[in-house]
């Protein structure tokens, strides 16, 4: 039996491990003296002999040296006549599964055999002792490997010799039959296992009972040199097989139940592994993508759902929701991770992606609103990125008015200083935006910008909110006190909006901060020092407030170092359409709408309106119109009713105009409904209106 036939050892490995590389090479013409020197130096008793091309031609064993000396040769004689020509040699690529290695070593007439490489150059010497020693090492390693396989086997194994006496039994068999190997070793198999029918033939899959345990028995004869020297028995516990079968049956039942549940769903379901390869789809999902399950399973989910959520789920382990388009329809898709607990925590093994598209208007409306929210998030994220870069806040202030453009230039110029700025003007003219632009253009841009609405904070709390309070100042306060807005704005800018409505008691402390750059917290006794730029804003006439004793004159002059009086929108009519178009662009990004412009009639109405609410009112009007139009141009009918009040038209004419407009709109709605066969969703799409806007129109004209 070839012990090493299954070791699959690499060529040269065995030879190299046992080869003696500490050797010298003789050449033709070398003296006997050199032979003795090599014997003594390299501690070997056979030397290879090569020609002028370093090819092997023979060997010089120690026996030939003795022969030469007995024949009277002197040490300076050549060794040529005593060389053993055509010696036995082995290749360095031989392994133990090539018995020629052993044969050549054993049949050699010398104690050492030469080892040659592929080019027939001498690379070493191998002797009988080295061969036997390394053979023993390999046998021991092989035995250890076989023993480990024998012990780890799940099946019970018993090995008997040709007299049918027990040679070995593995731990699985000991446990299965409750035996101890040391107690049964050497005993006849029938003595221990009378139930087993012994045969000299191969028998597989026999069912029976051994020691009252139902098992499946495999008997395999052990053959060596064509003679049976024993047998091995393998036992498989039937109860284990039945348990596995039951578990498989349960899995099948669960699979059937899961398939039934997912098949009954009106939503499309894709199950993929963590790499995105689809493992399962339900029937609804197949219909959504117009493919069979056979063509879907095994492909990447990105081929059907354009999503990057899988990589995020693998990192976070949380559910992700996004939208995608399938056959021109917007769908909401939820991605739920499949989690598996282990000793080290939780692994994400896959993802269940559910496409919510049942064809009803509610689902489509949810998809649209989700898309709008996503657009808003992206819009505000872009705005934040602009603020972190070199983008100036003044670039967002749109204007064609020469006066306002010059005001922007002046503000950009003074932004580099730390002087106090007072912004005046009507409500809604953009004082907040102007203040932020000054801050973002200043050296303090990377520092905090704190806005305080002096009207929104109750008078009793305003002082503590602005300047903070010390620990224990009042009941209900924080244990460690609280810093105020001024402290939080340190090294930055504080924007005091509606400062004209600030109580006189607080104005004194504001004046102190302006003059001394310090203040005392409410309930405290130590001074706090701050470096902060103040920008104040008001829509009141502060000089009139001073005359009424409602505002401190000294504070006014400290605030009014640099003043910008922002003009109302009615005084910069050239900016109305420019601003309206910028708001259309803004809300297209936020809402996901596709408003393409403003009709000429609507433009004239916008320019004729006085805009008492200024830019804020204009923005609100455009946002409202974008919601009604959604796609296409804003018409006059999409504007708020107060803008349509044409003051220069006589009352009778105006009434007649509105009546005609209402009649026209009602007839148009009825005509579109008739064209859509009463389907309100289809009618709304024909008019490029959102469903909510269309229903508002129907309610306005009492159309059911």
């Amino acid at each position: 039996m070839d012990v090493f036939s299954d070791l699959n050892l690499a060529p040269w490995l065995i030879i190299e491990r046992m080869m003696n590389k500490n050797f010298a090479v003789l050449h033709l013409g070398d003296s006997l003296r050199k032979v003795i020197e090599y014997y003594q130096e390299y501690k070997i008793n056979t030397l290879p002999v090569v020609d002028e091309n370093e090819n092997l031609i023979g060997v010089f064993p120690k026996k030939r040296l003795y022969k030469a000396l007995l024949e009277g040769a002197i040490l300076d004689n050549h060794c040529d006549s005593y060389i053993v020509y055509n010696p036995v040699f082995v290749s360095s690529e031989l392994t133990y599964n090539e018995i020629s290695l052993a044969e050549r070593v054993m049949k050699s007439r010398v104690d050492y055999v030469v080892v040659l490489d592929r080019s027939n150059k001498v690379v070493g010497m191998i002797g009988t002792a080295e061969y036997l020693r390394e053979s023993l090492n390999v046998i021991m390693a092989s035995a250890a490997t076989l023993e480990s396989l024998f012990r780890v086997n799940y099946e019970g194994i018993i090995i008997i010799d040709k007299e049918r006496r027990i040679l070995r039994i593995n731990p699985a068999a000991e446990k299965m039959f409750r035996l101890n190997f040391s107690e049964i070793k050497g005993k006849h198999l029938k003595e221990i296992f009378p139930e087993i029918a012994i045969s000299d033939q191969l028998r597989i899959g026999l069912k029976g009972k051994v020691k009252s345990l139902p098992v499946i028995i495999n008997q395999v004869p052990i053959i060596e040199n064509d003679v049976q020297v024993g047998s091995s028995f393998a036992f498989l516990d039937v109860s284990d097989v039945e348990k596995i079968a039951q578990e498989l049956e349960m899995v099948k039942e669960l699979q059937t139940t899961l398939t039934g549940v997912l098949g009954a769903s009106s939503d499309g379901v894709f199950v993929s592994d963590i790499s995105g390869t689809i493992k399962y789809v339900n029937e609804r999902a197949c219909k959504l993508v117009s493919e069979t399950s056979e063509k879907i399973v095994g492909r990447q989910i990105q081929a059907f759902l354009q999503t990057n959520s899988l990589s995020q789920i693998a990192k976070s382990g949380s559910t992700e929701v996004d939208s995608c388009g399938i056959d021109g329809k917007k769908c909401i898709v939820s991605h739920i991770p499949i989690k598996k607990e282990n000793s080290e925590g939780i692994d994400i093994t896959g993802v269940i992606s559910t496409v919510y598209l049942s064809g009803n208007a509610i689902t489509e409306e949810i998809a649209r609103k989700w898309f709008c929210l996503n657009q808003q998030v992206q819009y505000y994220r872009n705005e934040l990125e602009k603020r972190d870069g070199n983008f100036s806040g003044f670039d967002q202030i749109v204007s064609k008015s020469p006066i306002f453009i010059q005001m922007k230039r002046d503000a950009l110029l003074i932004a580099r200083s730390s002087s106090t700025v007072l912004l005046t003007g009507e409500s809604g003219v953009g004082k907040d935006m102007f203040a932020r632009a000054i801050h973002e253009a200043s050296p303090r841009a990377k520092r905090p910008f704190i806005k305080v609405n002096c009207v929104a904070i109750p008078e009793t709390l305003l002082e503590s909110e602005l300047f903070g309070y010390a620990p224990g100042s009042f009941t209900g306060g924080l244990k460690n006190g609280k810093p105020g807005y001024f402290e939080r704005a340190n090294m930055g800018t504080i924007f005091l909006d509606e400062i004209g409505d600030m109580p006189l008691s607080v104005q004194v402390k504001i004046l102190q901060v302006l003059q001394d750059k310090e203040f005392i917290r409410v309930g405290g006794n130590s001074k706090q020092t701050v470096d902060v730029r103040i920008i104040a804003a008001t829509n009141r006439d502060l000089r009139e407030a001073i005359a009424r004793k409602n505002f401190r004159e000294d504070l006014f002059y400290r605030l009014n170092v640099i003043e910008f009086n922002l003009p109302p929108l009615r005084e910069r009519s050239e900016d109305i359409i420019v601003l309206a178009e910028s708001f259309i662009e803004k809300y297209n990004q936020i809402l996901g709408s596709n408003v393409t412009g403003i009709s000429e009639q609507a433009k004239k109405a916008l320019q004729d309106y006085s805009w008492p609410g200024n830019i804020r009112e204009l923005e609100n009007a455009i946002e409202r119109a974008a919601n009604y139009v959604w796609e296409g141009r804003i018409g006059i009918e999409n504007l708020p009713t107060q803008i349509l009040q044409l003051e220069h038209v006589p009352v009778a004419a105006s009434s007649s105009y509105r009546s005609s407009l209402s009649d026209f709109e009602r007839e148009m709605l009825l005509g579109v409904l008739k064209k859509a066969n009463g389907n309100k969703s289809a009618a709304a799409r024909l008019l490029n209106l959102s469903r909510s806007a269309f229903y508002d129109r129907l309610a306005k004209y009492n159309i059911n």
Side-chain angles (χ1 to χ4, degrees):
M1 182 170 59
D2 187 356
V3 178
F4 312 106
S5 60
D6 295 327
L7 293 181
N8 195 25
L9 295 171
W12 168 246
L13 178 60
I14 298 300
I15 294 294
E16 183 178 29
R17 288 199 314 194
M18 63 185 178
M19 186 175 67
N20 184 356
K21 291 187 177 181
N22 191 27
F23 67 96
V25 177
L26 287 175
H27 292 80
L28 290 174
D30 283 346
S31 66
L32 294 175
R33 185 185 302 277
K34 180 165 288 190
V35 171
I36 295 173
E37 289 174 355
Y38 283 165
Y39 284 162
Q40 186 175 5
E41 180 177 355
Y42 294 103
K43 308 296 189 236
I44 57 175
N45 53 20
T46 301
L47 294 171
V49 184
V50 298
D51 59 15
E52 64 275 8
N53 296 320
E54 300 298 323
N55 292 322
L56 179 71
I57 59 173
V59 293
F60 198 103
K62 187 175 285 187
K63 294 176 182 179
R64 287 302 179 98
L65 174 63
Y66 294 155
K67 180 180 179 182
L69 294 175
L70 289 173
E71 291 178 355
I74 62 175
L75 297 181
D76 292 328
N77 287 353
H78 291 170
C79 65
D80 299 5
S81 58
Y82 297 98
I83 294 172
V84 177
Y85 291 93
N86 299 318
V88 174
F89 65 88
V90 296
S91 170
S92 63
E93 297 187 1
L94 288 179
T95 60
Y96 271 106
N97 60 358
E98 300 182 59
I99 60 174
S100 58
L101 172 62
E103 290 178 350
R104 292 190 179 199
V105 171
M106 295 307 179
K107 292 180 179 180
S108 175
R109 292 174 292 164
V110 296
D111 293 335
Y112 282 84
V113 176
V114 182
V115 180
L116 303 182
D117 62 12
R118 286 186 177 183
S119 58
N120 294 321
K121 305 300 181 187
V122 179
V123 293
M125 303 288 289
I126 179 172
T128 305
E130 286 83 358
Y131 173 78
L132 293 176
R133 182 172 60 251
E134 196 59 35
S135 296
L136 180 60
N137 291 337
V138 174
I139 289 171
M140 292 176 67
S142 175
T145 302
L146 293 174
E147 178 67 19
S148 66
L149 293 173
F150 181 74
R151 297 183 67 83
V152 79
N153 203 308
Y154 176 77
E155 296 178 336
I157 298 176
I158 297 175
I159 299 176
I160 61 173
D161 61 15
K162 60 184 178 181
E163 281 80 28
R164 299 177 178 177
R165 298 188 179 277
I166 297 174
L167 294 177
R168 294 296 306 276
I169 177 170
N170 72 342
E174 288 182 302
K175 182 178 179 182
M176 188 180 294
F177 302 121
R178 299 179 181 178
L179 296 172
N180 190 318
F181 173 58
S182 61
E183 296 175 356
I184 64 172
K185 182 179 180 181
K187 293 185 178 181
H188 198 281
L189 184 65
K190 279 291 184 180
E191 181 182 346
I192 307 301
F193 299 102
E195 309 95 329
I196 299 178
I198 304 174
S199 172
D200 293 335
Q201 304 299 318
L202 174 67
R203 298 195 302 176
I204 303 295
L206 298 178
K207 293 183 179 180
K209 281 191 176 183
V210 177
K211 294 192 176 296
S212 302
L213 182 70
V215 293
I216 297 174
I217 307 171
N218 295 331
Q219 180 182 351
V220 180
I222 302 173
I223 307 297
E224 183 177 359
N225 297 327
D226 297 327
V227 177
Q228 182 174 349
V229 297
S231 296
S232 64
F233 294 84
F235 304 89
L236 182 61
D237 190 342
V238 173
S239 61
D240 289 341
V241 177
E242 290 175 348
K243 185 178 179 181
I244 293 171
Q246 288 174 359
E247 290 177 352
L248 288 174
E249 193 62 33
M250 288 175 63
V251 171
K252 287 181 180 179
E253 290 178 2
L254 286 173
Q255 178 70 19
T256 302
T257 303
L258 178 63
T259 302
V261 170
L262 295 180
S265 174
S266 60
D267 304 314
V269 179
F270 297 81
V271 180
S272 57
D273 61 20
I274 201 62
S275 67
T277 303
I278 298 173
K279 298 298 182 182
Y280 175 83
V281 289
N282 69 346
E283 185 178 351
R284 180 59 174 161
C286 296
K287 290 181 179 179
L288 283 174
V289 298
S290 302
E291 292 280 6
T292 63
S293 61
E294 290 78 10
K295 292 183 178 181
I296 297 174
V297 173
R299 295 175 64 183
Q300 288 291 303
I301 194 169
Q302 282 85 354
F304 304 99
L305 306 176
Q306 286 71 41
T307 177
N308 296 318
S309 295
L310 296 184
S311 59
Q312 298 174 8
I313 291 172
K315 294 177 182 178
S316 66
S318 58
T319 300
E320 295 284 341
V321 179
D322 60 15
S323 68
C324 69
I326 298 179
D327 290 338
K329 298 178 181 179
K330 282 190 172 65
C331 315
I332 293 291
V333 185
S334 70
H335 304 280
I336 302 174
I338 302 172
K339 299 180 180 180
K340 179 182 179 182
E341 293 187 8
N342 55 39
S343 57
E344 298 180 357
I346 296 176
D347 288 334
I348 308 300
T349 60
V351 178
I352 301 174
S353 303
T354 304
V355 182
Y356 298 100
L357 180 61
S358 57
N360 58 56
I362 296 176
T363 305
E364 292 184 13
E365 187 69 11
I366 291 172
R368 187 186 69 80
K369 289 184 177 179
W370 185 93
F371 181 73
C372 291
L373 289 172
N374 204 38
Q375 288 288 103
Q376 291 182 44
V377 170
Q378 188 59 43
Y379 172 78
Y380 291 118
R381 183 181 288 119
N382 293 339
E383 292 300 306
L384 285 173
E385 289 175 357
K386 289 177 182 178
R387 292 178 184 275
D388 291 338
N390 297 321
F391 188 84
S392 170
F394 286 110
D395 295 334
Q396 292 183 296
I397 301 177
V398 179
S399 178
K400 282 189 175 182
S401 167
I403 297 175
F404 201 83
I405 291 173
Q406 183 58 47
M407 193 176 294
K408 284 170 56 178
R409 290 176 185 156
D410 293 342
L412 188 60
L413 188 65
I414 64 95
R416 59 192 177 187
S417 76
S418 60
S419 298
T420 303
V421 177
L422 178 62
L423 304 178
T424 59
E426 296 179 8
S427 179
V429 292
K431 297 186 288 296
D432 186 337
M433 196 172 187
F434 211 81
R436 289 181 184 275
I438 293 173
H439 170 74
E440 290 170 9
S442 74
R444 300 171 181 261
K446 300 295 183 182
R447 299 294 184 173
F449 176 85
I450 304 296
K451 177 184 175 181
V452 183
N453 191 323
C454 300
V455 177
I457 304 173
E459 183 177 346
T460 54
L461 297 177
L462 184 58
E463 184 177 358
S464 62
E465 289 294 316
L466 285 171
F467 305 107
Y469 56 84
S473 298
F474 49 83
T475 305
L478 296 176
K479 179 180 178 182
N480 298 321
K482 178 184 175 182
Y485 289 125
F486 271 94
E487 286 181 74
R488 288 161 54 189
N490 190 36
M491 304 302 295
T493 303
I494 188 167
F495 176 45
L496 301 176
D497 196 12
E498 306 297 349
I499 197 170
D501 296 281
M502 180 178 286
L504 287 168
S505 59
V506 181
Q507 293 179 27
V508 177
K509 298 195 73 169
I510 296 291
L511 183 61
Q512 181 186 2
V513 175
L514 282 168
Q515 292 176 338
D516 304 326
K517 304 295 183 183
E518 60 185 24
F519 62 89
I520 299 175
R521 283 184 176 185
V522 174
N525 50 26
S526 60
K527 292 183 178 180
Q528 305 285 333
T529 303
V530 290
D531 176 10
V532 63
R533 182 180 198 171
I534 295 178
I535 300 178
T538 182
N539 59 4
R540 295 181 177 274
D541 186 341
L542 293 185
R543 291 177 176 81
E544 183 180 333
I546 292 170
R548 295 198 309 269
K549 305 297 182 181
N550 291 331
F551 201 84
R552 293 181 61 96
E553 186 175 9
D554 48 0
L555 176 59
F556 170 73
Y557 290 117
R558 289 296 301 175
L559 291 173
N560 196 26
V561 176
I562 301 170
E563 181 182 0
F564 290 98
N565 183 259
L566 305 187
L569 191 55
R570 61 182 173 275
E571 294 180 7
R572 37 189 285 218
S573 57
E574 62 266 60
D575 287 342
I576 293 174
I577 302 304
V578 178
L579 285 167
E581 289 173 345
S582 72
F583 292 141
I584 288 173
E585 182 180 350
K586 173 181 176 179
Y587 285 102
N588 275 342
Q589 293 182 48
I590 292 176
L591 302 175
S593 55
N594 187 28
V595 179
T596 56
I598 309 171
S599 69
E600 292 301 321
Q601 223 179 353
K603 283 183 181 180
K604 187 175 187 312
L606 292 175
Q607 288 176 319
D608 289 343
Y609 185 57
S610 61
W611 299 108
N614 292 295
I615 299 173
R616 184 183 295 118
E617 185 183 5
L618 174 61
E619 181 173 0
N620 291 344
I622 297 301
E623 181 182 2
R624 176 187 183 277
N627 275 279
Y628 279 106
V629 176
W630 202 255
E631 291 184 352
R633 302 172 74 192
I634 294 175
I636 191 170
E637 70 278 4
N638 305 124
L639 299 177
T641 54
Q642 71 270 18
I643 297 177
L644 301 178
Q645 292 175 355
L646 307 180
E647 297 177 358
H648 58 281
V649 179
V651 175
S654 177
S655 176
S656 175
Y657 169 78
R658 286 201 192 89
S659 176
S660 299
L661 185 62
S662 297
D663 291 343
F664 170 77
E665 188 173 10
R666 190 175 192 281
E667 290 300 322
M668 179 183 66
L669 292 171
L670 290 171
V672 171
L673 276 171
K674 183 177 180 181
K675 186 177 180 180
N677 296 321
N679 188 317
K680 296 177 182 178
S681 297
R685 284 194 292 270
L686 289 173
L687 290 173
N688 285 327
L689 288 176
S690 67
R691 285 170 54 84
S692 58
F694 185 72
Y695 283 135
D696 287 346
R697 295 287 199 284
L698 296 181
K700 178 180 177 182
Y701 296 108
N702 198 24
I703 299 175
N704 296 322

